[in-house]
């Protein structure tokens, strides 16, 4: 369960408040969606939860099954089961996708006091998971995200999620830049991971992703706050009327 | 100006006078005695490098010019296991002295190998045309007195003549058991027309070591050189590689410098035959404020349609200093020259520094030469991405260090040797093997 209470975040180097008292609870096994206009602070929320530099939490808390996310190092949050699928996955020259995945998985296991996975078991597991995401051997061998198309990068994010088996997955605009086929692949990948022990926070600007990944709860975010919460029908309302009415309601 | 020059000259002479009493010319046959005396003459005329030398602007020569070496404590892992598992002919020098017990028989298909100390006993030897000759040629236009010193006073080394395809690489292992040893070794490599040989070197040779290799590579011949200089924290090492390339010949040299207190690697290559290829690459892992490493390269294109390539990658941390001086000289008439040079540093903190001096001097009009030098910190976005997947900060950084260095290691032609070097770097960085 992810619990965010009264979260206030500003930029470290600038006097600019981005999150202004955000409250959000994602129960274990549920899929929550956050929608909101550009610049409302959705990515900032995901970055702050995963521990990116450059932000300062001025008030509030964020815990995952009681684990204080905000105090921990980025890698500790990951080992604890937090996963962020990036809006803009980073290219890393010289580090093969396979090495990256294996190093990550074993580092997490080590941090949790678990046995590392043998090379054979690992290869078998990755190949299987890659196959269902249509990620071929060449993409696994290539340096992380180097020369990948937008869709390939997003599929690669989902592969990482499938390999690392986190308990809390945050997907930041995973649908952006995807064509219909890629959207289907990615959604199927996510849906396959839906599990009663795993929660999702799906950040999206558009409703169409939510046709594929049907959420239990939808939140509307504006200006650093959740301004409305409802069921999947809320997403349809946004799709039809845009954000203007909701924002006006709240002004 | 004139006074200043006279002053400089005097200081160089003073430096030589301070060093000379600790040197003695070995006994030998006629050919080598002549070569040694010539070299001593060159050295007398040049003196030894001093701090004010332009060519030593970024690196203090003191460690190499003092009468006695600065003591260098021994380390447990001197890094001589780099080529473990590779089928090689092993030759061991311990503190500069040949170690017969630890060495293989000097017998190898396709190659004649002997010790310089043995070859020196003859009155006449094929090495006569190379020993000191390539070094002499390399003294112009820039003086390299430490190489002349080596030619004059080297006590041993290998004399290698490849007449066919060498059956396996020759691996020179430098061990050291003394914290004050002062090794001076000189190798001669002659690769006959169409022949090929690979020379591997690992280790530190001495508390202080001065090594010279002269390689004459005939038409269509190939010489590959891969070395790892000993992960020996306090050793001081100056090396010179002089290579002369004939028509359609190939020379590729790669050096891994995993720490060491002071290193100066000079590589002087002359492309004298058309269509020759010369590549030189280096990867440095320098950690610590006392660590100083310098690659000084001088490539002369004196033939048509030749290719030269320099790729240097330096990772610097905790106050280490990395230096790169690389020059491409394209002589008049060396048309269709393809010269490439890149030197890059990865600075892991603000105390470390990279000093680069890339130079092009071109007298032909139809050439393609490029050079670039960059210095940068680790990519923070990539670091965050790796950490967000659970990879601890240090390991994430090491992964990126490996990736950075791999671009230089990739210059090694043999996959087996490339993998051996990468495996060792991974081991030192405590990273898992690639799948
Ligand atoms: N590192 C940053 N530097 C400057 N401005 C930032 C930074 N991160 C976020 N912002 C600003 O904060 C606001 C929220 O951005 P973001 O979290 O990316 O919104 P969203 O993902 O909802 O589009 C925007 O006005 C954006 O420009
Ligand atoms: Mg965003």
């Amino acid at each position: 369960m992810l619990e965010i209470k009264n979260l206030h975040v500003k930029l470290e180097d600038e006097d600019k408040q981005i999150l202004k008292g955000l409250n959000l609870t994602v129960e274990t096994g549920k899929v929550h969606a956050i929608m909101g206009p550009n610049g409302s602070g959705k990515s900032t929320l995901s970055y702050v939860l995963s521990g990116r530099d450059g932000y300062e939490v001025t008030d509030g808390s964020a815990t995952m099954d009681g684990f204080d996310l905000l105090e921990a190092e980025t890698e500790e949050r990951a080992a604890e089961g937090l996963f962020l699928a990036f809006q803009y996955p980073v290219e890393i020259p010289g580090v093969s996708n396979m090495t990256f995945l294996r190093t990550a998985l074993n580092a997490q296991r080590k941090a949790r006091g678990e046995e590392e996975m043998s090379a054979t078991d690992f290869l078998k597991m990755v190949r299987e998971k890659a196959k269902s995401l249509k990620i071929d051997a060449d993409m696994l061998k290539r340096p992380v995200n180097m020369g990948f198309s937008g869709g390939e990068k997003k599929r690669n994010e989902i592969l990482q999620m499938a390999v690392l088996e986190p308990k809390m997955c945050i997907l930041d605009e995973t649908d952006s830049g995807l064509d219909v086929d890629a959207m289907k692949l990615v959604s199927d990948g996510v849906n396959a991971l839906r599990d009663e022990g795993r929660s999702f926070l799906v950040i999206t600007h558009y409703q169409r992703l939510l046709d594929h990944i049907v959420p239990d709860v939808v939140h509307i975010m504006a200006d650093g706050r959740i301004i409305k919460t409802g069921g999947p029908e809320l997403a349809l309302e946004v799709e039809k009327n845009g954000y203007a009415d909701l924002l006006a309601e709240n002004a | 100006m004139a006074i200043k020059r006279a002053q400089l000259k005097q200081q160089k002479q003073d430096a030589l006078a301070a060093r000379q009493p600790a040197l003695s010319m070995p006994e030998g046959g006629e050919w080598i005695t002549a070569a040694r005396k010539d070299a001593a003459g060159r050295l007398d005329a040049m003196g030894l490098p001093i701090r004010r030398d332009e060519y030593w602007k970024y690196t203090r020569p003191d460690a190499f010019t003092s009468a006695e070496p600065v003591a260098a404590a021994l380390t447990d892992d001197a890094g001589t296991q780099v080529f473990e598992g590779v089928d090689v002919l092993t030759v061991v020098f311990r503190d500069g002295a040949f170690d017969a017990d630890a060495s293989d028989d000097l017998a190898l298909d396709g190659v004649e190998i002997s010790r310089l100390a043995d070859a020196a006993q003859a009155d006449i030897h094929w090495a006569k045309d190379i020993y000191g000759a390539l070094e002499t040629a390399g003294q112009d236009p820039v003086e390299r007195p430490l190489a002349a010193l080596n030619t004059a006073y080297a006590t041993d080394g290998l004399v290698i003549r490849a007449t066919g395809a060498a059956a396996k690489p020759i691996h020179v292992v430098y061990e050291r058991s003394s914290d004050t040893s002062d090794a001076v070794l000189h190798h001669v490599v002659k690769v006959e027309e169409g022949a090929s040989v690979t020379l591997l070197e690992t280790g530190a040779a001495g508390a202080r070591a001065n090594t010279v290799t002269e390689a004459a590579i005939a038409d269509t011949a190939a010489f590959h050189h891969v070395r790892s200089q000993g992960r020996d924290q306090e050793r001081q090492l100056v090396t010179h590689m002089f290579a002369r390339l004939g028509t359609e010949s190939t020379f590729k040299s790669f050096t891994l410098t995993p720490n060491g207190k002071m290193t100066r690697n000079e590589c002087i290559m002359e492309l004298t035959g058309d269509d020759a290829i010369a590549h030189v690459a280096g990867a440095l892992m320098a950690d610590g404020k006392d660590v100083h490493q310098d690659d000084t390269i001088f490539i002369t294109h004196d033939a048509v349609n030749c290719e030269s390539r320099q790729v240097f990658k330096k990772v610097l941390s905790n106050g280490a200093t990395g230096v790169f001086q690389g020059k491409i000289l394209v002589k008049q008439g060396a048309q269709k020259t393809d010269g490439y040079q890149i030197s890059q540093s990865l600075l892991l903190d603000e105390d470390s520094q990279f000093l680069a001096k890339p130079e092009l001097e071109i007298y032909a009009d139809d050439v393609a030469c490029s050079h670039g030098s960059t210095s940068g910190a680790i990519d923070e976005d990539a670091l965050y991405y790796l950490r967000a997947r659970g990879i601890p900060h240090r390991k994430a950084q090491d992964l990126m260090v490996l990736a950075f260095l791999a671009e230089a290691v990739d210059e090694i032609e043999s996959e087996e040797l490339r993998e051996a070097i990468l495996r060792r770097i991974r081991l030192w960085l405590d990273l898992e093997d690639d799948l």
Side-chain angles (χ1 to χ4, degrees):
Chain A
M1 186 166 75
L2 176 69
E3 270 189 294
I4 302 168
K5 288 185 186 148
N6 192 32
L7 190 61
H8 285 74
V9 172
K10 68 179 273 292
L11 292 178
E12 212 167 48
D13 299 335
E14 258 177 75
D15 211 12
K16 180 171 177 178
Q17 197 75 30
I18 301 176
L19 300 185
K20 305 171 178 174
L22 185 134
N23 291 290
L24 178 68
T25 300
V26 182
E27 305 81 8
T28 306
K30 298 289 185 210
V31 176
H32 284 221
I34 293 188
M35 300 183 73
N38 274 332
S40 53
K42 304 184 297 295
S43 290
T44 300
L45 172 64
S46 70
Y47 289 146
V48 168
L49 292 177
S50 82
R52 188 179 196 139
D53 284 345
Y55 302 99
E56 189 186 328
V57 176
T58 52
D59 202 2
S61 65
T63 60
M64 187 172 66
D65 295 338
F67 175 82
D68 185 353
L69 286 171
L70 303 180
E71 280 301 308
E73 296 289 343
T74 295
E75 53 267 37
E76 293 167 349
R77 304 179 197 196
E80 198 64 31
L82 180 75
F83 183 93
L84 168 62
F86 281 57
Q87 180 171 1
Y88 304 108
V90 180
E91 299 185 353
I92 307 180
V95 179
S96 88
N97 224 351
M98 207 60 148
T99 299
F100 167 54
L101 284 167
R102 181 161 175 240
T103 310
L105 179 66
N106 282 338
Q108 289 201 14
R109 288 185 160 219
K110 199 171 157 194
R112 293 193 293 258
E114 297 165 14
E115 189 89 22
E116 294 191 357
M117 192 182 272
S118 78
T120 349
D121 289 350
F122 175 79
L123 277 172
K124 194 162 161 257
M125 184 264 291
V126 169
R127 285 195 186 124
E128 226 161 78
K129 295 187 170 176
K131 205 172 152 195
S132 59
L133 286 159
K134 294 216 163 72
I135 290 176
D136 59 20
D138 179 58
M139 267 174 75
L140 287 172
K141 238 190 267 163
R142 260 152 57 190
V144 180
N145 294 325
M146 291 292 289
F148 286 25
S149 70
E152 285 173 337
K153 283 181 182 167
K154 295 299 172 80
R155 265 147 60 201
N156 203 28
E157 293 292 291
I158 306 304
L159 173 65
Q160 292 164 39
M161 195 162 92
V163 166
L164 297 171
E165 300 182 324
K167 58 184 184 191
M168 177 73 228
C169 308
I170 304 174
L171 281 72
D172 189 5
E173 301 217 19
T174 297
D175 51 339
S176 66
L178 294 189
D179 59 24
V180 182
D181 293 339
M183 174 97 81
K184 178 97 178 46
L185 265 177
V186 164
S187 321
D188 288 351
V190 172
N191 286 328
L193 288 167
R194 284 178 82 149
D195 183 274
E196 57 187 28
R198 182 171 295 131
S199 318
F200 290 85
L201 186 59
V202 181
I203 296 172
T204 180
H205 191 63
Y206 301 104
Q207 190 267 338
R208 64 178 187 158
L209 179 68
L210 305 180
D211 285 341
H212 299 277
I213 306 171
V214 181
D216 299 298
V217 181
V218 174
H219 308 273
I220 306 298
M221 182 165 171
D223 194 24
R225 258 176 287 216
I226 301 293
I227 58 163
K228 189 160 186 176
T229 296
E233 72 286 350
L234 189 54
L236 292 167
E237 194 185 318
V238 167
E239 175 76 1
K240 217 169 94 203
N241 305 329
Y243 291 107
D245 292 353
L246 285 169
L247 295 181
E249 237 172 74
N250 237 281
Chain B
M1 241 358 241
I3 293 169
K4 216 170 153 194
R5 199 166 299 147
Q7 238 179 31
L8 273 174
K9 201 167 163 55
Q10 188 54 50
Q11 284 177 6
K12 291 180 186 186
Q13 289 301 325
D14 293 346
L16 179 59
R19 176 77 173 94
Q20 224 145 20
L23 295 166
S24 67
M25 200 175 283
E27 293 286 325
E30 210 172 291
W31 76 272
I32 199 157
T33 303
R36 283 167 172 159
K37 284 187 172 155
D38 276 358
R42 283 193 293 283
L43 181 60
D44 279 343
M46 292 186 275
L48 280 176
I50 54 167
R51 281 188 208 173
R52 283 165 65 203
D53 266 347
E54 188 59 24
Y55 214 48
W56 289 83
K57 190 170 170 180
Y58 304 119
T59 300
R60 289 187 168 192
D62 311 35
F64 308 123
T65 58
S66 61
E68 302 298 333
V70 174
L74 296 168
T75 38
D76 301 336
D77 173 19
T80 51
Q81 312 302 320
V82 172
F83 298 110
E84 222 169 35
V86 181
D87 186 21
V88 295
L89 180 131
T90 303
V91 184
V92 179
F93 289 94
R94 186 174 293 280
D95 294 303
F98 180 69
D99 184 338
D101 294 338
S103 300
D104 291 334
D105 269 352
L106 302 185
L108 187 63
D109 278 353
V111 202
E112 293 164 22
I113 311 168
S114 64
R115 288 174 54 197
L116 177 68
D118 292 336
Q121 297 314 310
D123 277 333
I124 184 91
H125 195 277
W126 61 259
K128 171 177 178 290
D129 295 336
I130 302 171
Y131 189 92
L134 270 57
E135 174 252 296
T136 303
Q139 298 289 354
D140 180 45
V142 191
E143 291 181 352
R144 308 172 198 281
L146 292 166
L149 180 149
N150 181 297
T151 303
Y153 298 105
T155 52
D156 209 343
L158 287 185
V159 174
I160 298 166
R161 179 165 161 245
T163 51
K168 52 186 172 183
I170 300 162
H171 183 195
V172 180
V173 179
Y174 303 110
E175 298 280 6
R176 75 178 180 98
S177 319
S178 155
D179 60 358
T180 53
S181 53
D182 196 10
V184 185
L185 295 169
H186 196 118
H187 309 302
V188 175
V189 179
K190 184 177 190 188
V191 194
E192 303 277 16
E193 201 171 318
S196 61
V197 66
T198 298
L199 176 69
L200 310 178
E201 297 178 273
T202 52
R208 175 170 77 180
N210 175 333
T211 70
V212 165
T213 304
E214 293 176 284
I217 307 157
D219 297 352
T220 69
F223 179 40
H224 292 272
H225 175 235
V226 181
R227 67 180 164 184
S228 171
Q229 300 195 293
R231 202 166 170 247
D232 192 328
Q233 303 303 320
E234 296 186 12
R235 58 115 186 102
Q236 304 120 54
L237 179 60
V238 58
T239 74
H240 289 82
M241 163 66 79
F242 297 94
R244 190 177 61 207
L245 285 85
T247 304
E248 287 176 41
S249 68
T250 302
F251 171 54
K252 292 189 182 179
S253 175
F254 170 84
T255 301
L256 173 67
T257 310
N259 260 355
K261 187 173 185 176
M262 170 60 80
T263 311
R264 163 95 162 195
N265 294 321
E266 293 195 20
C267 184
I268 302 92
M269 309 197 275
E270 206 186 349
L271 296 108
T272 61
D274 297 348
D275 305 302
I277 295 174
H279 291 188
V280 54
L284 166 69
M285 304 162 78
D287 181 16
K289 71 172 175 12
D290 291 335
V291 181
H292 183 109
Q293 192 267 9
D294 173 332
D295 283 295
T296 291
I297 315 294
F298 200 110
I299 300 181
T300 306
H301 281 265
D302 199 8
V304 174
N305 203 33
C306 290
E307 173 192 313
S308 72
R309 190 175 158 84
Q310 304 168 54
V311 177
F312 285 84
K313 298 276 198 169
K314 298 173 193 271
V315 177
L316 302 157
S317 59
N318 291 312
T321 301
V323 175
F324 176 79
Q325 302 191 96
K327 177 158 182 171
I328 305 174
L329 169 63
V330 181
K331 289 199 173 173
Q332 205 173 0
Q335 302 295 6
K336 309 278 180 204
T337 287
D338 179 1
Y340 176 79
Q341 178 195 93
I342 182 90
S343 64
Q344 296 183 306
S345 77
L346 181 59
L347 302 172
L348 297 182
D349 52 58
E350 281 170 9
D351 303 330
S352 305
Q353 60 172 342
F354 175 53
L355 306 163
K357 190 180 176 192
E359 273 183 290
L360 290 176
E361 196 177 326
I362 301 175
Y363 296 102
D365 50 24
D366 183 15
V367 302
C369 284
S370 66
H371 66 78
S373 183
T374 65
S375 203
I378 210 126
D379 178 348
E380 287 296 332
D381 287 340
L383 199 58
Y384 165 61
Y385 188 68
L386 293 169
R387 294 177 66 200
R389 295 298 175 252
I391 301 173
H393 190 286
R394 182 60 204 245
K395 203 176 210 66
Q397 181 171 302
D398 288 344
L399 270 177
M400 294 176 68
V401 163
L402 174 69
F404 175 80
L405 294 175
E407 288 175 32
V409 181
D410 278 347
E411 296 291 312
I412 301 172
E413 195 165 285
S414 149
E415 186 181 349
E416 187 183 24
L417 298 176
R418 203 164 58 225
E419 282 307 315
I421 294 281
L422 286 174
R423 211 180 308 126
R424 192 55 46 169
I425 297 176
R426 274 191 220 108
L427 197 85
W428 285 331
L429 292 173
D430 201 17
L431 292 172
E432 289 164 348
D433 268 350
D434 260 348
L435 292 176

